[in-house]
Amino acid sequence: MSQNATSLAYLTASVLFILSLKGLSSPETARRGNLAGMLGMAIAVITTLLTPGVVGYGPILAMLVLGGTIGAVVARRIPMTSMPELVAAMHSLVGLAAVLIAVAAYLNPHEYGIALPGGGIATGSLVEMVVGAFVGAITFTGSVVAFGKLKGTFGSNPLMFHGQHLLNLLLGLTMVGTTIWFCTHPSLAPFLVVIALALALGVLLIIPIGGADMPVIVSMLNSYSGWAAAGIGFTLGNHLLIITGALVGSSGAILSYIMCKAMNRSIWNVLFGGFGAEVAPSAQQAAASKGAKSGSPEDAAFLMKNASSVIIIPGYGMAVGRAQHAVKEMAELLGEAGVKVRFAIHPVAGRMPGHMNVLLAEAEVPYDQVFEMEEINREFVDCDVALVIGANDVVNPLARTDPSSPIHGMPILDADRAKTVMVVKRSLAPGYAGIDNPLFYADNTLMLFGDAKHIAEAIVHSL
């Protein structure tokens, strides 16, 4: 394939990637956006395979078949509730690939076209290589830790120790110094030291972050993986990889900003605040002593069937209970009874950006029933019933009323302003922010204790 044909094919793939991002910005166009991204990637892979630098297809095709088989099996078996863990795992693989390519490029500069005529590697190529390597290494270990926290292997609470921030600072400064050393006196030792420091820093940056901030961390790691890919794109001289990495990196950074804004916090507070610590036992005991009113699924079915307007607020508890299909059936039955049913989505509900949207889309909830927080918040004052399914911090009134609360100022869904609030929850335990929720004890609130799926199915049976 000629250079002009390659450039044109890469340009076409780049445009398709941009259209993919545009399509993924809305549930109505997400499927089309996904197809555009798949087509762009297919063009990119085929074009790369047809470039003159490829001299043997055997190992490449073998790896494509192996990787494609693994991907197909995982995609078919992974439940939608585990999608955040899968996303974190994918980010880790991107970071690891960046590290391996950087090492391979340093060891074989002639194969990558970055060797100088007299031997050695140009300083610019060394900078690109080492930047791609250390961003990739941070992404790899950071994503592995995020995966463990999301899956519950490492626990979702922040892990902090005395002098942690100082240690991170020292590691960062050492990494910068070693990077300068490598670029001015290239050798394998400082390069491996930079990678080792980055691997350690990736762990130390993510372990102090609690489960409440995982949506921000997932989008931030997504950004890291993009910048790692872009850095390696410079090393490989691949314009498409540079463009794709920049798209992923910038979109992930913008999404992280949007998520932080939705929590009324800065990215620095997320990274270094240790937010989401486990609540003290005394606070839990005090919360339990306030006497929340409990009800049954039959009570919930009666109240909602006799309402004119119901707003359902899904949260991580719905994901854990895999209740989205039962909730969708419940909404259909209420709609058939003449009740106006809508879904309210908070930007940081769940464990990754768009988590609730993905679950509702899987259950085939109509898009015109799903509303973002800004669109529906003003409707709660005229709503007969607000049904909260497994959400906690995103409906906590303390964000509006208590200046001393860790979540004060965070925009929330105004469920407490509905005439009747029903909360589906296993217990009165606090959410990931580790603080009590007075909504559970309000005069207009009825608690439905139990697994989200079981409660939803019981409500469906009563309806």
Side-chain angles (χ1 to χ4, degrees):
M1 180 177 279
S2 67
Q3 183 61 44
N4 288 340
T6 299
S7 298
L8 180 60
Y10 280 166
L11 178 61
T12 302
S14 300
V15 172
L16 286 169
F17 289 150
I18 294 171
L19 293 175
S20 177
L21 282 177
K22 175 64 177 175
L24 291 170
S25 64
S26 170
E28 289 87 348
T29 58
R31 188 182 298 273
R32 186 166 65 246
N34 203 19
L35 291 174
M38 293 166 63
L39 178 59
M41 184 55 68
I43 293 173
V45 171
I46 293 172
T47 302
T48 302
L49 292 176
L50 294 178
T51 54
V54 178
V55 295
Y57 290 100
I60 296 175
L61 293 176
M63 291 300 103
L64 283 174
V65 171
L66 177 61
T69 302
I70 294 173
V73 171
V74 170
R76 289 182 64 85
R77 291 186 177 180
I78 196 78
M80 295 303 292
T81 50
S82 299
M83 196 56 64
E85 295 99 295
L86 179 63
V87 171
M90 293 299 179
H91 292 162
S92 72
L93 295 178
V94 175
L96 181 60
V99 173
L100 295 177
I101 292 172
V103 173
Y106 177 77
L107 296 176
N108 304 279
H110 292 282
E111 300 294 335
Y112 287 81
I114 58 175
L116 295 173
I121 304 173
T123 302
S125 296
L126 291 173
V127 172
E128 296 161 2
M129 191 186 306
V130 74
V131 168
F134 75 66
V135 174
I138 290 174
T139 304
F140 172 62
T141 51
S143 298
V144 169
V145 174
F147 172 86
K149 281 180 170 286
L150 289 166
K151 196 170 180 61
T153 305
F154 302 151
S156 61
N157 294 323
L159 177 59
M160 305 188 72
F161 55 86
H162 184 68
Q164 189 171 35
H165 297 329
L166 179 60
L167 176 60
N168 290 344
L169 178 62
L170 290 175
L171 285 176
L173 292 175
T174 304
M175 190 166 66
V176 171
T178 310
T179 299
I180 296 173
W181 173 28
F182 170 73
C183 293
T184 54
H185 300 84
S187 65
L188 186 59
F191 191 31
L192 295 179
V193 169
V194 169
I195 294 174
L197 290 170
L199 291 172
L201 197 57
V203 174
L204 292 171
L205 283 175
I206 305 302
I207 58 172
I209 299 172
D213 289 325
M214 272 302 120
V216 179
I217 296 307
V218 169
S219 62
M220 185 186 71
L221 290 169
N222 179 55
S223 179
Y224 284 2
S225 68
W227 298 124
I232 294 303
F234 281 104
T235 299
L236 298 176
N238 188 307
H239 295 161
L240 179 62
L241 192 54
I242 296 170
I243 294 171
T244 306
L247 285 173
V248 174
S250 57
S251 60
I254 293 169
L255 183 57
S256 297
Y257 168 77
I258 292 173
M259 304 288 281
C260 287
K261 188 177 179 182
M263 296 191 298
N264 193 39
R265 300 171 63 211
S266 69
I267 189 66
W268 303 112
N269 184 254
V270 171
L271 290 175
F272 304 117
F275 188 68
E278 188 174 4
V279 70
S282 59
Q284 293 190 34
Q285 293 165 4
S289 67
K290 293 182 181 179
K293 298 187 293 292
S294 64
S296 67
E298 292 75 18
D299 298 330
F302 177 81
L303 288 170
M304 288 192 290
K305 192 170 184 178
N306 288 279
S308 61
S309 173
V310 172
I311 298 178
I312 300 173
I313 302 171
Y316 187 62
M318 186 184 79
V320 172
R322 303 182 182 181
Q324 60 269 28
H325 295 283
V327 170
K328 189 246 187 176
E329 186 178 356
M330 176 182 68
E332 286 181 336
L333 290 173
L334 289 171
E336 292 170 1
V339 181
K340 184 179 181 180
V341 180
R342 289 163 292 176
F343 291 81
I345 307 297
H346 192 281
V348 295
R351 293 290 195 96
M352 73 174 185
H355 196 180
M356 297 301 107
N357 300 79
V358 170
L359 293 176
L360 295 179
E362 185 209 11
E364 297 183 349
V365 172
Y367 297 137
D368 58 2
Q369 290 185 0
V370 181
F371 296 86
E372 299 298 327
M373 178 176 63
E374 294 81 4
E375 299 175 294
I376 202 169
N377 242 2
R378 60 182 178 273
E379 304 292 331
F380 280 103
V381 292
D382 298 318
C383 172
D384 293 315
V385 176
L387 177 62
V388 182
I389 305 179
N392 196 326
D393 300 322
V394 298
V395 293
N396 194 331
L398 292 179
R400 292 196 312 262
T401 61
D402 184 3
S404 64
S405 172
I407 63 171
H408 182 256
M410 182 181 94
I412 62 166
L413 289 162
D414 297 331
D416 58 309
R417 291 174 174 168
K419 295 181 179 66
T420 299
V421 182
M422 294 187 292
V423 181
V424 179
K425 211 169 177 296
R426 292 177 182 272
S427 69
L428 291 171
Y432 286 115
I435 57 176
D436 191 24
N437 190 342
L439 176 66
F440 300 162
Y441 319 105
D443 294 335
N444 64 331
T445 297
L446 192 68
M447 298 297 298
L448 305 173
F449 292 111
D451 175 80
K453 184 177 181 180
H454 294 161
I455 295 291
E457 288 175 341
I459 293 174
V460 167
H461 179 72
S462 295
L463 290 173

